[in-house]
Amino acid sequence: MNLRHCLRAWLLAFAIALSIGRAWAADQNMVTLNFVNADIDGVVKVIGQITGRNFVLDPRVKGKVNIISAQPISKAVVYDVFLAAMRLQGFAAVDEKNMVKIVPAAEAKFEAGGSRAPDDRVETRVFMLKNVSAMQLVPVLRPLIAPYNAIAAYGGSNTLVVTDYASNLGRVGRIVAAIDQPQGNEPVVIPMHYASAIDAAQTLSRLFAEPPRQGAAAGYDQPMTIVADPRSNSLIARSDDAQKLARLRGLVAVLDAPTSAAGNIHVVYMKNAEAVDVARTLRAIYLGDSGSAATTSSRETAPAATQPANPSGQAGTSPMTASFNSSTNPDPSPVPGIIQADPATNSIIINAPDAIYNNLRAVLDKLDVRRQQVYVEAMIAEITSDKAAEFGIQWQNLSAAGATDATARGFGGTNFGGSGQNILGISQNPALAGQGLNVGVIRGHVTIPGVGEVLNLGMLVRALESDNNVNILSTPTLLTLDNQEAKIVIGQNVPFITGQYALSGSATTPTPFQTIERHDVGLTLKIKPQISQGGTVRLQIQEEVSSIDPSSINNPAGLITKKRSLESTVLVNDGQIVVIGGLLQDSVTDGEQKVPLLGDVPLLGSLFRYNTREHAKTNLMLFLRPVVLSNARSADDIADERYKYILGEQRKSAPAPSAVLPDMAPPTLPPYSLWNLPPQSH
């Protein structure tokens, strides 16, 4: 009995000792934190002693910390509580090897490591995306990340690089996983056997083009996308709604049914191309003769019944019908097949079997594309400099020529130059004296038999020097379609007499008449651009600069024109300035008229000489700069620039205020903003 009591007492004592030991151990793992307005330096020291960690503080880490625990907490969570307090102060902890750095939160992203850490530690993670674009996901996730932390997308591998607190990175990862999902439905291909896929795609697209429901967010409730594949005559559709796809298949089955007639009549409206040109091209293709494009132009509006017979001699069958018969129908009976253009509506009417129509429809869509435009800036600079000088002395003795007795007497003198320059012409009519300095010695009048009364001009000295400079700068601009010729003419339309008929003697003939032809005189520029691959522009250029020679205005034979022309084909990059042609002409003419032997005598020889000298220099250059206009915005920018230039020139030409004349406002252009409004806004 005593042994049993002793054993029970021993067990009771062991249990008490064990509970006391556990309580003591529990007290060793529990701490109570009580920091009120404590400096961060002091708090870091205490946390370091409790957790056994080494801390390094950035000099910018300053402030007060408040941490109060109502009950003792485990030492295992002390570090997490400390990190939460640092985060509230705008600081972050970065683990590096055997120490923890406390730095400002904005700087933590530059030192974030990749090892596992508590939730309030800053780290960097890389998210690999498979289905969505990383670039498009950045603006979605940016509001979910602290402003001082970073998020970036790398398009090469379609990845996101995010630096943030570990707790927030877990949430970001779940959001990325939810968004990075494959699309709802893959595209479906619906082949068509009878109808044209291109026509069916246009009809079905209009039918399924439902507006978004009210309240639907942007990007949701998207309409069905339907496109045609001309090569396989199939429809390709895509939609997130399976019911829409089912309805589409049902409609296609109804539309894709054979017709009772051997051929169908289809009307295709052209959007960009000319229907007449496209119809001519299609007929030439199916006839297999490129020359037929020209022969069929005269039958653009002819009905099918008036088409000529085919080469085989079968009456009532057009060449187009024969082509269809030989290629698609082994039966020699005629099958209607007509390609007709309607210029009024810019449409093409096709009457052909389904297979042929589907081929033609595919070609039409490739031909009926919007053509680009080319804006060409040209600069034609012409500089002409003409300098001339003349000097000479002429003398004569006409007294003996006017004597009336029979005594033999001598007379004579020197005579140089043309009309207005020689001494004889001026003696008869002084008003004919040419420009320049004319100095003479006159002694009365002399009557010469056969000539009449003239001045007795004994000596004439002429001196003239002229300097003519012409600087012409033309800057024409042209805007034309790709592969379409443009022409600009700046000048005058001058008449030229090509023939005349007049009455002669007593002949009885109709009223006299003249035949006249008019020609453009001035600047003519023709340009035909063709846009090549890579934006290179091929330019076919014809340029002509002509003018009327002023010296030929009174010419009995007619006017004389000066002409400089150029024809060339060049390759120019988009926006590049190129010089096409240039004329550099420099000529010096030195003339001398003199009396033999006497004109060579030193000093005195100048009395028997007449010297002329002329220097003509012409510089003509042509510069071109083509600019490809791929959209309407480019054309608007150029139009706005040219409008402002013309408006500025108009303002410069405004008449100055006058105290006598009334003020008159010059003509001005209307505001460009009114021109730029849509048609319904006017």
Side-chain angles (χ1 to χ4, degrees):
M1 189 67 180
N2 293 334
L3 181 59
R4 180 181 299 175
H5 285 291
C6 291
L7 181 58
R8 185 178 297 174
W10 184 81
L11 291 175
L12 181 59
F14 178 75
I16 293 172
L18 183 60
S19 62
I20 293 173
R22 288 178 177 176
W24 181 83
D27 292 338
Q28 293 295 325
N29 292 327
M30 304 295 291
V31 295
T32 300
L33 301 179
N34 190 5
F35 299 103
V36 179
N37 291 330
D39 292 334
I40 293 180
D41 297 345
V43 175
V44 170
K45 292 180 181 179
V46 175
I47 299 301
Q49 294 176 357
I50 296 175
T51 60
R53 297 174 181 266
N54 299 321
F55 290 92
V56 176
L57 271 68
D58 190 279
R60 292 168 290 182
V61 178
K62 302 291 183 181
K64 303 291 184 179
V65 177
N66 294 308
I67 302 176
I68 299 175
S69 58
Q71 297 178 355
I73 60 176
S74 173
K75 292 183 178 180
V77 298
V78 169
Y79 185 61
D80 295 342
V81 173
F82 170 72
L83 292 180
M86 292 294 99
R87 183 173 179 178
L88 294 176
Q89 295 292 328
F91 305 121
V94 180
D95 288 349
E96 185 174 339
K97 295 182 179 179
N98 297 325
M99 60 181 175
V100 179
K101 293 182 179 180
I102 307 298
V103 297
E107 303 292 335
K109 59 186 176 183
F110 300 112
E111 303 192 22
S115 60
R116 297 180 61 86
D119 291 344
D120 286 318
R121 204 211 77 156
V122 176
E123 64 177 16
T124 299
R125 291 186 188 177
V126 179
F127 299 95
M128 305 291 297
L129 304 179
K130 299 180 180 179
N131 301 290
V132 298
S133 171
M135 300 289 184
Q136 297 178 355
L137 204 56
V138 170
V140 177
L141 299 177
R142 178 71 266 183
L144 305 179
I145 299 173
Y148 41 77
N149 287 332
I151 177 173
Y154 178 61
S157 58
N158 197 33
T159 56
L160 281 175
V161 181
V162 183
T163 299
D164 203 359
Y165 293 102
S167 58
N168 194 38
L169 287 177
R171 182 181 62 157
V172 172
R174 292 189 295 271
I175 295 175
V176 170
I179 297 177
D180 189 25
Q181 298 293 331
Q183 299 295 329
N185 293 320
E186 294 296 328
V188 296
V189 179
I190 306 175
M192 305 194 71
H193 304 285
Y194 304 102
S196 171
I198 299 175
D199 293 340
Q202 296 178 356
T203 303
L204 295 172
S205 297
R206 291 193 298 267
L207 181 63
F208 283 91
E210 301 175 355
R213 294 190 299 267
Q214 294 184 356
Y220 296 92
D221 196 23
Q222 295 293 333
M224 179 183 296
T225 302
I226 304 173
V227 296
D229 179 28
R231 187 186 64 83
S232 61
N233 196 36
S234 303
L235 293 176
I236 304 175
R238 182 172 184 174
S239 176
D240 294 337
D241 191 346
Q243 295 181 356
K244 287 185 177 181
L245 290 176
R247 292 199 302 269
L248 176 65
R249 291 181 181 273
L251 288 174
V252 171
V254 174
L255 296 176
D256 189 24
T259 59
S260 58
N264 300 324
I265 298 179
H266 304 270
V267 179
V268 183
Y269 293 95
M270 298 287 98
K271 299 177 182 178
N272 302 284
E274 292 287 341
V276 175
D277 297 336
V278 175
R280 187 183 301 117
T281 302
L282 292 179
R283 283 198 294 266
I285 292 175
Y286 276 90
L287 284 172
D289 182 10
S290 60
S292 63
T295 61
T296 57
S297 60
S298 61
R299 306 194 302 269
E300 293 295 339
T301 58
T306 61
Q307 295 288 346
N310 61 5
S312 63
Q314 185 177 357
T317 305
S318 66
M320 196 67 198
T321 303
S323 176
F324 291 157
N325 290 338
S326 61
S327 60
T328 61
N329 188 11
D331 189 358
S333 59
V335 178
I338 301 173
I339 299 177
Q340 191 72 22
D342 182 21
T345 59
N346 195 36
S347 60
I348 296 179
I349 304 171
I350 301 177
N351 183 10
D354 293 333
I356 294 179
Y357 170 72
N358 292 336
N359 293 335
L360 293 175
R361 194 67 174 83
V363 176
L364 282 176
D365 279 356
K366 295 180 180 179
L367 295 178
D368 188 25
V369 296
R370 178 174 178 175
R371 295 159 64 183
Q372 292 180 309
Q373 299 185 95
V374 179
Y375 178 75
V376 181
E377 293 179 318
M379 183 175 65
I380 303 174
E382 181 178 4
I383 302 175
T384 304
S385 177
D386 292 335
K387 297 182 179 181
E390 58 180 84
F391 179 80
I393 300 175
Q394 305 175 49
W395 57 270
Q396 66 180 353
N397 181 16
L398 298 179
S399 299
T404 58
D405 55 5
T407 305
R409 300 181 183 183
F411 76 97
T414 59
N415 183 19
F416 303 116
S419 176
Q421 297 175 335
N422 59 75
I423 191 172
L424 292 178
I426 297 177
S427 297
Q428 296 179 16
N429 187 1
L432 297 179
Q435 298 178 349
L437 178 63
N438 296 273
V439 179
V441 177
I442 301 175
R443 188 176 56 194
H445 294 79
V446 177
T447 301
I448 300 177
V451 177
E453 187 179 32
V454 299
L455 294 176
N456 187 10
L457 182 59
M459 185 179 67
L460 174 67
V461 179
R462 274 188 49 79
L464 174 65
E465 182 176 357
S466 61
D467 189 354
N468 298 323
N469 295 318
V470 179
N471 186 357
I472 301 176
L473 178 63
S474 301
T475 57
T477 58
L478 296 170
L479 178 62
T480 181
L481 288 175
D482 179 25
N483 207 25
Q484 190 74 31
E485 183 181 279
K487 176 182 177 181
I488 185 172
V489 178
I490 304 174
Q492 296 176 325
N493 191 257
V494 181
F496 291 88
I497 299 176
T498 59
Q500 58 185 356
Y501 186 84
L503 295 176
S504 61
S506 60
T508 58
T509 58
T511 305
F513 64 90
Q514 290 181 339
T515 58
I516 296 176
E517 289 185 359
R518 290 184 172 271
H519 297 278
D520 294 330
V521 176
L523 169 64
T524 302
L525 180 62
K526 295 181 182 179
I527 294 179
K528 184 178 181 180
Q530 182 179 359
I531 303 175
S532 305
Q533 185 178 7
T536 304
V537 182
R538 181 176 181 266
L539 293 176
Q540 295 182 8
I541 306 160
Q542 294 182 5
E543 180 257 347
E544 178 180 313
V545 179
S546 58
S547 61
I548 298 177
D549 190 353
S551 62
S552 65
I553 294 179
N554 298 321
N555 187 7
L559 298 176
I560 299 175
T561 58
K562 299 179 180 179
K563 178 180 177 181
R564 282 85 69 197
S565 63
L566 178 145
E567 293 186 11
S568 179
T569 302
V570 297
L571 287 176
V572 188
N573 292 331
D574 182 13
Q576 179 185 359
I577 299 177
V578 61
V579 56
I580 302 301
L583 172 64
L584 302 178
Q585 182 178 358
D586 194 355
S587 62
V588 176
T589 303
D590 195 359
E592 184 181 60
Q593 294 176 322
K594 63 181 179 179
V595 177
L597 300 179
L598 296 178
D600 296 330
V601 177
L603 298 179
L604 295 178
S606 59
L607 299 176
F608 303 93
R609 288 197 305 265
Y610 192 85
N611 299 95
T612 59
R613 182 170 297 173
E614 184 178 357
H615 182 197
K617 185 175 183 181
T618 302
N619 297 327
L620 176 64
M621 303 295 290
L622 173 62
F623 300 87
L624 289 177
R625 178 177 178 263
V627 178
V628 178
L629 305 182
S630 56
N631 50 47
R633 181 62 181 173
S634 302
D636 290 342
D637 294 340
I638 292 178
D640 183 46
E641 177 187 355
R642 304 307 297 177
Y643 176 87
K644 292 179 179 177
Y645 171 76
I646 293 298
L647 188 61
E649 293 297 319
Q650 280 192 337
R651 291 174 178 173
K652 292 179 182 178
S653 63
S658 175
V660 180
L661 300 176
D663 293 335
M664 296 182 181
T668 56
L669 296 174
Y672 183 72
S673 58
L674 295 179
W675 290 14
N676 224 8
L677 293 176
Q680 61 271 17
S681 299
H682 287 288

